[in-house]
């Protein structure tokens, strides 16, 4: 069973759990989701990781007591070929892991660069990443979590197979600095780069877990399997 770690720091964690459960069903690969709360959980059995969105400053602070972020970065240093998905604040942490650590992605990022919370928006994106197909064997329901949250039903053609466009949800999102991206672009909003792949680190400035198109979560699971077996 593939063990996928999810940093339970703050922010959109429960939606990522739901997205992972759906993606695992869509690709027919069994997974165990490990809700990471302290660094001691980061063992060599974790074969992929998600850094969710939220508020990166709050995440850095929240991680202090159990050194979770340090544990996560140590794990990434130890296993550079294991896939990591960083969304929004997660992408910020990959670009700027803090003092004394080298960035995990070759791109600089500017926080809150689309404006304030009110300027959050949705837009159609173009995706250029080879992602595994979805072949679910059963109808998947959206569940409520312990807090009675339920992912938004943001879907459109992409969820039913139009692989050329993707519903991008940007919430007080960061922006990659122009000309700073030195790795593969995988998502664009018109001319703007909004998703990149550097080795096995996938950094998106939007929130794929808030849509019904699970292709990035499928990517994570399948890459984890390829790397681990
Ligand atoms: N504005 C947040 C930050 O700077 C990121 C927002 C998000 O993850 N949706 O960390």
């Amino acid at each position: 069973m593939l063990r996928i770690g999810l940093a339970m720091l703050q922010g959109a964690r429960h939606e990522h759990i739901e997205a992972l459960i759906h993606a695992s069903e869509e690709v027919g690969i069994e997974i165990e989701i490990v809700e990471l709360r302290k660094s001691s959980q980061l063992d060599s059995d974790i074969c992929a990781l998600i850094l969710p969105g939220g508020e990166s400053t709050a995440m850095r602070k929240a991680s202090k007591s159990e050194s979770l972020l340090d544990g996560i970065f140590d794990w990434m240093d130890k296993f550079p070929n294991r896939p990591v998905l960083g969304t929004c604040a997660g992408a910020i942490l990959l670009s700027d892991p803090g003092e004394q650590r080298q960035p995990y992605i070759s791109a600089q990022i500017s926080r809150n660069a689309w404006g304030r919370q009110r300027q959050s928006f949705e837009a159609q994106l173009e995706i250029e990443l080879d992602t595994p197909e979805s072949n679910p064997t059963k109808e998947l329901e959206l569940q409520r979590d312990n807090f009675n949250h339920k992912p938004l039903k943001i879907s459109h053609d992409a969820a039913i197979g139009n692989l050329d466009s993707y519903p991008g949800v940007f919430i007080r999102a960061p922006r990659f600095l122009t000309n700073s991206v030195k790795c593969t672009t995988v998502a664009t909003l018109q001319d703007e780069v909004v998703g990149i792949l550097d080795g096995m680190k996938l950094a998106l400035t939007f929130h794929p877990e808030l849509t019904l198109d699970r292709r990035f979560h499928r990517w994570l699971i399948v890459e984890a399997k390829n790397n681990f077996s």
Side-chain angles (χ1 to χ4, degrees):
M1 173 110 64
L2 287 178
R3 302 181 83 227
I4 314 262
L6 174 64
M8 299 299 279
L9 282 167
Q10 191 250 355
R13 300 146 287 178
H14 303 282
E15 290 79 2
H16 273 294
I17 292 179
E18 180 100 13
L20 278 171
I21 293 170
H22 282 201
S24 120
E25 170 65 28
E26 288 174 359
V27 292
I29 297 174
E30 267 190 82
I31 60 165
E32 181 194 344
I33 300 169
V34 184
E35 298 186 11
L36 299 171
R37 294 195 166 80
K38 46 187 175 190
S39 55
S40 56
Q41 291 173 283
L42 269 300
D43 55 36
S44 56
D45 283 349
I46 303 281
C47 50
L49 196 82
I50 294 184
L51 288 171
E55 218 285 322
S56 51
T57 309
M59 288 176 164
R60 292 185 206 274
K61 285 189 184 144
S63 93
K64 285 262 159 63
S65 61
E66 299 288 350
S67 313
L68 179 57
L69 267 184
D70 266 335
I72 286 174
F73 294 141
D74 289 346
W75 177 90
M76 289 202 257
D77 293 339
K78 206 160 160 199
F79 304 109
N81 296 325
R82 297 194 185 176
V84 177
L85 170 62
T87 58
C88 206
I92 295 172
L93 296 172
L94 288 174
S95 167
D96 175 15
E99 282 161 38
Q100 301 179 0
R101 291 199 185 259
Q102 295 297 318
Y104 290 94
I105 49 176
S106 312
Q108 289 171 303
I109 207 163
S110 168
R111 292 182 59 203
N112 306 330
W114 291 102
R116 324 187 82 170
Q117 193 80 8
R118 280 190 287 123
Q119 272 104 38
S120 298
F121 62 97
E122 283 174 44
Q124 296 302 315
L125 309 181
E126 228 172 276
I127 309 296
E128 271 193 62
L129 176 68
D130 222 358
T131 51
E133 277 182 33
S134 164
N135 291 307
T137 54
K138 59 179 187 219
E139 188 84 3
L140 296 161
E141 282 277 309
L142 287 175
Q143 306 295 326
R144 289 189 180 272
D145 67 15
N146 297 344
F147 306 99
N148 212 23
H149 297 149
K150 198 174 181 181
L152 303 172
K153 278 203 177 184
I154 297 171
S155 77
H156 68 106
D157 295 355
I160 52 164
N162 177 359
L163 291 174
D164 294 335
S165 74
Y166 188 93
V169 181
F170 293 82
I171 304 173
R172 209 169 171 229
R175 292 174 95 157
F176 294 114
L177 295 185
T178 318
N179 300 327
S180 77
V181 176
K182 304 280 185 270
C183 52
T184 310
T185 295
V186 299
T188 46
L189 167 53
Q190 285 148 16
D191 291 336
E192 167 121 8
V193 177
V194 294
I196 59 174
L197 179 66
D198 194 343
M200 277 290 127
K201 309 284 185 299
L202 182 57
L204 311 175
T205 59
F206 51 96
H207 284 265
E209 77 285 5
L210 298 182
T211 78
L212 290 179
D213 186 322
R214 311 299 194 189
R215 75 180 83 169
F216 297 107
H217 293 81
R218 294 200 297 272
W219 173 88
L220 188 81
I221 292 171
V222 168
E223 289 299 339
K225 183 157 191 252
N226 291 345
N227 267 294
F228 222 61
S229 48

